[in-house]
Amino acid sequence: MNRIEVNVITGEQTVIPLTPEEIAALPPAPPPLPRRIAKADIWRRCTNTEAEAVDSLLNAQPIRLQRMWADAQYLSTADELFPAVQTALSQAFGSERASQLLASSEAAP
């Protein structure tokens, strides 16, 4: 990591590497902003076989979780249950495919 010092008189910029102590003193990076995923997009991205597997996974969940899934139009990565959905899809299809299925939805123009 570097810092840039600018001479206010000449405008000259100098790139200076940060020391390990300066790097350690930096504040932590902010958490990523929550993403929204339209559930319809998840179903569109699934193959028929994957959709059947997702449906079986959902039917095996407690009724509370089933109703939450059924009633919501979107998933949010900020939701307390999102990690459970992500884990279940990762176990069923692998982490790469789960990431594809759970990619953010495009906002309508």
Side-chain angles (χ1 to χ4, degrees):
M1 298 184 106
N2 299 315
R3 72 172 181 263
I4 298 175
E5 291 185 358
V6 179
N7 183 314
V8 294
I9 297 172
T10 65
E12 181 182 344
Q13 296 181 359
T14 306
V15 176
I16 301 171
L18 294 179
T19 66
E21 294 79 20
E22 290 172 317
I23 292 172
L26 292 173
L33 293 175
R35 297 182 297 114
R36 280 180 30 149
I37 304 116
K39 287 188 343 189
D41 287 346
I42 296 171
W43 293 116
R44 284 183 193 102
R45 294 171 183 152
C46 284
T47 64
N48 287 336
T49 303
E50 289 171 336
E52 289 173 5
V54 170
D55 196 50
S56 293
L57 286 169
L58 290 170
N59 289 333
Q61 299 305 310
I63 193 69
R64 178 175 169 265
L65 186 62
Q66 289 181 41
R67 294 297 177 253
M68 289 171 67
W69 173 271
D71 292 344
Q73 292 183 359
Y74 291 89
L75 298 179
S76 171
T77 57
D79 189 286
E80 66 186 48
L81 295 175
F82 183 79
V85 173
Q86 190 174 35
T87 298
L89 292 178
S90 292
Q91 290 174 346
F93 309 120
S95 61
E96 184 177 338
R97 183 62 179 145
S99 294
Q100 293 168 349
L101 294 173
L102 295 173
S104 297
S105 295
E106 296 287 328

